[in-house]
Amino acid sequence: MPASDIASPGRIDSLMDSTSDDPLLDEPTRELCRAVAHGKLTPARLAVVAPGGHGKTAMLRHLARRCEARGVAVAWYGQQDVATAELILVDDAHELDDSVLAELHERAGDEVTGLVIAARPWPRSPALNALLSRLRGQVVLRPLDIPRIAALLGRDRAGLAELVRAQTLGVPGFVVRLANALRVHSGDPVPADATDLPAPVLAEFRPELDRLPPETLSLLLAATSGARLDVDLLAAVLDTDHDGVARTVDAARAGGLLTSDGVPLPLVANAVRVLVPEERRLAISQRLIRLQLARKGPVLGLVRPLLDTELGGTALAEAFEAAATEAAERDPALAARLYAAAARAGHPPTELVCRWAETAARAGDLDAALRLADRVIAAPRAEGRTDAANTAATAFVHKGQLERASELYRWSNTRLSRVNSALIALRNGKLTEAESLLDSADRDAPPTLVTTAMTALVRGTLESVTSGPAPALSTLADAAEALDPVGHSLFLPDTPAAVGALVGMQCGELSLATTLLDRAVEADSGGRTSRARHRLLSAWIAMLRGDTDTATHTLKSVGRELSPRDWLFAVGLRAGLARRTSDLAALRELWGDVREAVIRLRVELFTILPFGELAIVAARLGERERLAHQLERARTLLRALGDPPLWSAALYWSSLHAAITADERDEAAEHARALARCADHSTDHTGYHRVLAEAAACWIDTLGGTVDAARVDVAARALHATGLCWDAARLAGQAAIRTTDRAAMVALLECARSLQGSSTAGAAPPESRLGVLSERERQVAELVVSGLTYRQVGDRLFISAKTVEHHMARMRQRLGATSRADLLAQLRELVTPSSSAGRSPGRRPRAR
């Protein structure tokens, strides 16, 4: 049987009522038929060229009915006498011999009788080409849309229209054939949201598949096995040359079995997979794999369909391993499955377990990664023991077990492992050890992108402890940029963006923190294992800003399949959101998770934020003793680091609010004094720590019954400017309800209302806001407003474009700009008056 018999035109017409408007034809085609019938195209000279099953015969019959209804004499060439015909219809012209085509060629010159010829695109003899070239236009037959498919299916089956469209791509012949099969099996349930067809429906196509030419069926088997249109592979499978492959592909495409890019229609592919005996399918698939392995070509597409089989053998094991290598960078979960399949197929496990462990870790399966890596580490002669130790160590970091991770990094003793070990030492409060490890890591091994970025990450963290936020953020931003080209395919203990965000949140640089996280999400830095961390930190920033809706939505988008480290932040977020929305029932419900967090995980430098939030919740629920030892450990760790203001202030701020919540005023006053010391010793040029210290002092006064409304207003607005919007509104609100001065109460309540949930506290006049910008920031603002790019500004001021971006992020936060356009408008208002005086119109400002 010809390939197109799966979509026989005769079957198409069997579904049509001859008196109805044919749903197989779209409106442009029906309009064309009406024009021919009404004599608007006289004489008609049309070609209908399309693969089998696209509705050529249906279109000709529809045209014939239209014309006959108007009294036009119509004749089918080869079936009726055409001597007296006014319109001659020719179907399947590709099957006619040259003598018949020559006769039709002569008739095409007749200016009285109409001629409409239908043919497939292949085979195309020279005689057929010559005939078609004499025609004046070609009819385009379009796929059926959902409404027309629903009309064919009938009311009872109209809900399956989308399924039929997906399976047939709207090719009319296949739509009709499938509609027939669904009618025959109308008693078999097919859910409207199904993505595949039941076996009894596909079984209706068995006779057609059985009648396909052997080479066509082999081509379909190869195509469904992933070969696509690789001519060399297909030539070997079909036992032919390139010309033979071309003929077979053209025949299958002309029969409507393949799309234009050589992919079988979904219906055809499903029928082949279900109806062709498995042994024949596997024989073709394995032959393709052997051929591709021999030429060292990609095998992932060929191997993927065999993942769930129990096949084995050396060649297949080799193919699974090669496919895993192909998939590892972009799809580590698939790569891990392929490595497992290679092991099942007979590949010696010790040769691939190390890579298998890494892909499992990158896919988020930390337990599997640890189990696999341990097998390599425990085998004295195994290759890749160092790499396996690094993988296991990083997995332990994600599980929050830093001591075990440090032990494995030290045993590994590579440059990168020493860098990672230095980061762990720093997180555990061991400053001298961290500096020593970092120095030793700089003495050997080439400076690759990864080692450079991770070294910069550790240096940035070190600077956050010893030098303050400005140099730390600059170093961490550079590290994030260095990691962008390769970060998506790495399994990292942490990312520069995440650490930069933690630093930014604890020094009031929320806009910069957001920028780092947004870039990391876009670049997929750290791959799958870091995506949740970046989103959770973004949610934390939204929570600090008082945007609980965004924080809640982002938290939900992360899901519940989290590593222990990320789970801790998720618990902290849930607690913080419940506290900010005064949802006491939610706080009590999640207290079980809080207790588990306290037991499972230990506080360290990077978990001060969540443990600080949990401390406030514990105070709210009368469970402060649960976190006492963790908070004491945090204080000990920070003392060992020299009480760095950036990290210590965050803990003191949380402890202040925990004490306030527990009504421990003496303790609250102690934490306020600690915040004042942080402000005194801080190198933070933005004044963030001074803002915290002043807000803390206002809290202490308020608790003691002394409310200076003006001072509280200034302190609250300063808090709001740093990004702590919810804290700002709460300070003003609590002061309002504690003051005995009614005027002060009204003023503070208005202040609280203006700060809560908004990103700005009201636009101050330009002259009062100009002092918000530093001298360097004013220089940057003048040049950006004048129209220079970040790179051009950097060239003028001898700084990097990245540094210009950081200045812009800081200015956006300080000015409360809601968008880049808003920022530019405010900067233009700020700098134009002072920078334009004495300057000729149109002249750009000169960098100072």
Side-chain angles (χ1 to χ4, degrees):
M1 174 186 108
S4 66
D5 281 0
I6 288 182
S8 169
R11 291 191 176 92
I12 293 176
D13 291 304
S14 68
L15 289 180
M16 296 294 99
D17 184 333
S18 61
T19 64
S20 65
D21 201 9
D22 196 332
L24 287 172
L25 304 179
D26 58 19
E27 185 55 36
T29 304
R30 288 198 292 268
E31 182 58 36
L32 178 64
C33 292
R34 280 193 292 271
V36 173
H38 285 76
K40 295 179 181 179
L41 294 176
T42 305
R45 290 286 186 275
L46 299 174
V48 189
V49 180
H54 279 61
K56 299 183 298 297
T57 301
M59 182 267 175
L60 292 180
R61 293 189 178 184
H62 181 80
L63 176 61
R65 290 194 295 270
R66 287 279 185 182
C67 290
E68 289 168 348
R70 298 288 300 180
V72 177
V74 179
W76 291 79
Y77 189 85
Q79 301 175 29
Q80 297 170 310
D81 183 8
V82 299
T84 60
E86 298 174 77
L87 176 65
I88 299 174
L89 305 178
V90 183
D91 201 4
D92 294 330
H94 57 279
E95 296 180 354
L96 302 178
D97 58 35
D98 286 354
S99 62
V100 175
L101 293 172
E103 180 186 342
L104 289 170
H105 188 275
E106 291 298 322
R107 287 186 176 276
D110 181 359
E111 291 299 324
V112 176
T113 307
L115 183 63
V116 180
I117 298 176
R120 292 185 184 179
W122 185 91
R124 291 284 288 269
S125 66
L128 179 57
N129 280 332
L131 169 60
L132 295 177
S133 68
R134 298 203 68 178
L135 305 180
R136 295 170 183 163
Q138 181 165 322
V139 180
V140 177
L141 297 177
R142 300 168 181 82
L144 300 184
D145 55 22
I146 296 294
R148 286 186 288 155
I149 293 174
L152 280 170
L153 289 169
R155 183 178 301 174
D156 292 343
R157 291 288 197 176
L160 299 176
E162 291 190 8
L163 170 64
V164 172
R165 179 67 170 78
Q167 288 288 325
T168 63
L169 304 185
V171 175
F174 286 96
V175 171
V176 173
R177 188 72 180 88
L178 184 52
N180 268 336
L182 289 170
R183 279 191 175 86
V184 170
H185 296 277
S186 59
D188 297 327
V190 182
D193 59 350
T195 57
D196 214 337
L197 295 170
V201 172
L202 290 172
E204 290 293 312
F205 295 87
R206 184 180 298 279
E208 284 80 359
L209 283 182
D210 290 343
R211 290 195 293 270
L212 284 176
E215 64 273 14
T216 302
L217 183 57
S218 294
L219 172 67
L220 293 177
L221 286 169
T224 55
S225 297
R228 300 182 70 86
L229 290 185
D230 188 316
V231 177
D232 290 331
L233 277 179
L234 292 176
V237 171
L238 300 177
D239 293 322
T240 186
D241 56 13
H242 286 190
D243 289 339
V245 172
R247 286 192 298 272
T248 304
V249 170
D250 286 341
R253 189 180 281 134
L257 301 174
L258 299 179
T259 63
S260 59
D261 58 356
V263 177
L265 266 69
L267 175 62
V268 174
N270 282 337
V272 167
R273 280 191 286 266
V274 171
L275 302 178
V276 175
E278 183 179 23
E279 59 273 15
R280 183 169 183 185
R281 288 188 289 108
L282 292 177
I284 291 285
S285 182
Q286 290 180 300
R287 187 175 182 187
L288 287 169
I289 289 169
R290 287 194 297 270
L291 289 166
Q292 195 70 333
L293 284 175
R295 55 194 280 205
K296 300 188 183 303
V299 296
L300 179 57
L302 301 173
V303 165
R304 193 194 295 257
L306 304 180
L307 257 178
D308 296 324
T309 68
E310 296 298 326
L311 298 174
T314 302
L316 194 55
E318 182 183 349
F320 279 131
E321 182 185 10
T325 302
E326 291 177 46
E329 181 173 351
R330 289 293 176 186
D331 194 343
L334 175 60
R337 290 181 62 203
L338 288 163
Y339 279 127
R344 288 196 307 271
H347 198 294
T350 54
E351 297 181 14
L352 54 82
V353 168
C354 183
R355 286 168 288 156
W356 184 2
E358 184 186 3
T359 56
R362 288 179 50 221
D365 192 347
L366 300 180
D367 289 336
L370 287 169
R371 185 172 61 253
L372 292 165
D374 196 61
R375 287 168 58 182
V376 180
I377 297 169
R381 294 183 177 83
E383 294 183 5
R385 296 176 77 201
T386 295
D387 292 336
N390 271 314
T391 297
T394 304
F396 276 121
V397 173
H398 285 262
K399 290 176 78 69
Q401 300 179 32
L402 298 189
E403 296 297 340
R404 181 69 177 123
S406 179
E407 180 184 1
L408 284 163
Y409 278 138
R410 287 173 175 277
W411 184 86
S412 175
N413 198 33
T414 65
R415 178 183 180 182
L416 185 57
S417 65
R418 288 196 291 275
V419 169
N420 291 336
S421 189
L423 181 62
I424 290 178
L426 199 54
R427 290 169 64 171
N428 278 331
K430 302 174 182 178
L431 181 59
T432 303
E433 181 181 322
E435 292 173 330
S436 174
L437 285 166
L438 194 59
D439 288 343
S440 70
D442 284 342
R443 289 198 292 265
D444 57 8
T448 64
L449 284 174
V450 180
T451 54
T452 298
M454 295 307 292
T455 299
L457 185 157
V458 180
R459 290 200 181 282
T461 308
L462 191 62
E463 287 167 346
S464 75
V465 171
T466 60
S467 304
L473 285 171
S474 179
T475 302
L476 290 167
D478 289 342
E481 190 170 9
L483 195 64
D484 280 351
V486 294
H488 68 276
S489 60
L490 300 174
F491 182 47
L492 302 171
D494 218 327
T495 67
V499 178
L502 287 172
V503 172
M505 279 190 278
Q506 293 175 110
C507 67
E509 296 286 5
L510 299 190
S511 292
L512 181 55
T514 299
T515 299
L516 288 172
L517 292 172
D518 288 346
R519 287 173 61 98
V521 169
E522 183 179 353
D524 200 21
S525 184
R528 176 175 177 174
T529 50
S530 295
R531 288 173 202 161
R533 183 157 177 77
H534 294 148
R535 290 175 185 163
L536 288 167
L537 292 173
S538 294
W540 203 286
I541 292 173
M543 180 177 72
L544 292 178
R545 285 174 165 159
D547 187 356
T548 55
D549 289 341
T550 297
T552 301
H553 175 75
T554 306
L555 176 58
K556 288 181 179 177
S557 73
V558 172
R560 295 189 174 272
E561 296 295 326
L562 300 174
S563 68
R565 177 192 66 179
D566 294 337
W567 173 80
L568 172 63
F569 272 84
V571 172
L573 267 168
R574 288 165 55 204
L577 290 168
R579 179 170 72 89
R580 284 162 175 79
T581 55
S582 301
D583 191 345
L584 186 58
L587 287 176
R588 287 176 175 147
E589 182 180 348
L590 65 82
W591 184 246
D593 285 346
V594 175
R595 288 200 303 268
E596 184 179 351
V598 172
I599 294 172
R600 288 178 58 187
L601 299 162
R602 298 177 66 185
V603 69
E604 40 96 359
L605 195 65
F606 289 176
T607 59
I608 285 175
L609 277 180
F611 272 106
E613 187 62 49
L614 296 180
I616 303 173
V617 173
R620 180 71 178 84
L621 298 177
E623 297 274 2
R624 297 192 73 194
E625 289 302 315
R626 292 278 187 180
L627 272 78
H629 70 287
Q630 293 280 19
L631 297 178
E632 182 55 37
R633 172 179 163 79
R635 295 185 189 100
T636 301
L637 183 155
L638 290 169
R639 283 195 295 271
L641 293 174
D643 272 325
L646 188 144
W647 300 95
S648 297
L651 181 61
Y652 291 133
W653 182 253
S654 298
S655 299
L656 168 74
H657 286 283
I660 291 171
T661 302
D663 198 22
E664 296 287 348
R665 299 185 183 184
D666 291 342
E667 182 186 340
E670 181 183 338
H671 295 311
R673 288 191 293 272
L675 283 167
R677 289 194 298 272
C678 286
D680 291 340
H681 295 91
S682 176
T683 58
D684 176 19
H685 69 279
T686 66
Y688 174 76
H689 296 115
R690 288 191 294 276
V691 169
L692 291 186
E694 178 62 15
C698 286
W699 267 111
I700 299 305
D701 289 345
T702 298
L703 293 174
T706 303
V707 177
D708 183 335
R711 184 186 182 191
V712 170
D713 183 276
V714 171
R717 293 187 186 279
L719 267 183
H720 191 277
T722 67
L724 299 181
C725 304
W726 186 85
D727 293 272
R730 185 167 181 262
L731 172 59
Q734 290 297 309
I737 65 176
R738 283 178 167 81
T739 183
T740 56
D741 185 332
R742 181 165 179 78
M745 179 188 69
V746 171
L748 288 171
L749 285 176
E750 180 58 34
C751 174
R753 279 192 293 269
S754 69
L755 298 181
Q756 189 159 12
S758 63
S759 57
T760 63
E767 59 273 14
S768 68
R769 291 186 291 145
L770 188 59
V772 172
L773 306 183
S774 67
E775 178 67 19
R776 173 65 85 188
E777 286 168 346
R778 284 197 294 273
Q779 294 172 358
V780 169
E782 286 187 8
L783 294 173
V784 170
V785 165
S786 73
L788 298 185
T789 66
Y790 288 176
R791 184 176 295 280
Q792 290 168 332
V793 173
D795 291 341
R796 293 279 188 95
L797 300 179
F798 303 102
I799 57 178
S800 70
K802 192 70 178 174
T803 302
V804 175
E805 182 181 350
H806 294 164
H807 282 307
M808 293 294 285
R810 291 191 185 100
M811 287 187 280
R812 177 174 175 175
Q813 177 180 331
R814 292 195 195 125
L815 297 174
T818 57
S819 65
R820 175 177 166 78
D822 182 26
L823 173 63
L824 290 176
Q826 292 193 49
L827 291 179
R828 194 172 291 112
E829 185 182 2
L830 281 171
V831 303
T832 300
S834 61
S835 60
S836 60
R839 188 180 297 138
S840 59
R843 183 179 178 184
R844 285 182 172 172
R846 182 163 53 89
R848 298 175 185 173

